[in-house]
Amino acid sequence: MQAKMLDGKVAIVSGASYGMGYTMAELFAKEGAKVVMTARGQEKLDNAVQSIRSQGYDVTGVAADNKNLEDVKKVIQTAIDTYGDLDIVINNAAIGEQKMIDETDDEWLEHVYQTNVFGPFRFIRESLKIFLPKNEGCIINISSIGGLVPDISQVAYGSSKAAINYLTKLIAVQEATHHIRCNAILPGMTATEAVEKQLSEDFRNLFLRHIPLKKIGLPEEIGAAVVYFASDESA
């Protein structure tokens, strides 16, 4: 039998109740990983966990909000208590909405940054407490092309992803000598529930004009890249 890419690994995937997060959790499980799925909404998360378990895979769900440090610690401790270790952290949970700068008040900016920047930072800092003693680990941050190319209608979201891009580089350099890898995936427009809800058809068509392939990405395509970066093949 051919070895799976993530055999024996234990992973945390945030924002895992639907969309790209769910797809990543499913692909990780199929590649042999034990997965702790986390998201804020209990009901959606329970349904997502049951869906993957029904396929015969070992996953656990923990309802948590990455804006809360104690919740982040709870998710990490669940991985240790349930599976005995932690090898991979996927920071996928994020929020965003089309708002021009004059529509972006302090409350919304802080809300986005707490989820998109502070949350991943908390997961990185707390997971390093597990990774550093064993001198290995893998962190993958799901960023966005919006963190590189300005989108005037996504002021808070785009700037938060630019922050994640910098944080990824910093952690990658800082922890390289400890054999801890940190990468970011920067998807363009991807066919998720959130995109369908938040972006109009006119906007999606306009976006496609700037994509050479003239297609919207699929969650499975993003997930495949994440699996690679999580595996030893990307060492």
Side-chain angles (χ1 to χ4, degrees):
M1 182 180 296
Q2 185 176 2
K4 296 181 178 180
M5 292 179 73
L6 300 176
D7 269 341
K9 303 290 188 182
V10 178
I12 290 171
V13 180
S14 72
S17 59
Y18 65 96
M20 285 196 293
Y22 173 84
T23 300
M24 290 172 202
E26 185 178 44
L27 289 174
F28 270 51
K30 289 180 177 178
E31 286 295 338
K34 312 293 187 184
V35 185
V36 176
M37 302 168 63
T38 182
R40 285 179 294 184
Q42 184 75 62
E43 185 177 356
K44 270 194 171 183
L45 179 62
D46 288 345
N47 291 337
V49 167
Q50 185 54 41
S51 176
I52 297 177
R53 281 180 176 171
S54 69
Q55 301 175 55
Y57 301 115
D58 193 350
V59 299
T60 297
V62 183
D65 189 337
N66 70 2
K67 297 196 299 293
N68 185 305
L69 176 59
E70 292 308 311
D71 277 12
V72 170
K73 290 180 177 180
K74 178 178 69 174
V75 174
I76 291 173
Q77 192 60 48
T78 298
I80 301 300
D81 293 344
T82 306
Y83 299 122
D85 204 353
L86 177 62
D87 304 291
I88 303 159
V89 171
I90 310 299
N91 281 310
N92 171 68
I95 57 173
E97 187 175 330
Q98 287 184 284
K99 288 179 183 284
M100 303 289 282
I101 192 163
D102 59 334
E103 301 169 319
T104 304
D105 58 23
D106 289 3
E107 184 179 4
W108 175 249
L109 184 68
E110 182 174 350
H111 182 49
V112 171
Y113 268 65
Q114 278 290 340
T115 299
N116 295 7
V117 182
F118 283 65
F121 181 87
R122 293 181 185 103
F123 264 111
I124 291 169
R125 185 184 61 203
E126 297 307 310
S127 65
L128 285 173
K129 296 175 183 178
I130 307 299
F131 294 160
L132 284 169
K134 62 179 186 173
N135 218 39
E136 64 177 350
C138 176
I139 299 160
I140 302 173
N141 299 318
I142 307 304
S143 181
S144 168
I145 193 68
L148 294 179
V149 181
D151 177 352
I152 60 172
S153 67
Q154 297 254 27
V155 175
Y157 179 81
S159 60
S160 73
K161 291 304 187 179
I164 283 297
N165 295 343
Y166 178 84
L167 179 62
T168 300
K169 295 173 187 178
L170 185 144
I171 298 299
V173 172
Q174 178 178 294
E175 304 302 340
T177 56
H178 301 287
H179 307 286
I180 296 168
R181 307 193 310 279
C182 186
N183 288 287
I185 306 292
L186 281 64
M189 187 178 292
T190 307
T192 65
E193 182 180 327
V195 166
E196 289 289 332
K197 285 183 176 180
Q198 294 175 16
L199 304 179
S200 69
E201 185 177 354
D202 286 345
F203 182 90
R204 295 198 296 270
N205 289 335
L206 179 64
F207 196 98
L208 280 171
R209 289 170 55 189
H210 301 280
I211 300 176
L213 286 173
K214 304 301 180 189
K215 68 182 288 288
I216 293 177
L218 300 176
E220 293 81 2
E221 294 167 334
I222 309 303
V226 177
V227 168
Y228 167 73
F229 280 111
S231 75
D232 293 338
E233 291 187 16
S234 73

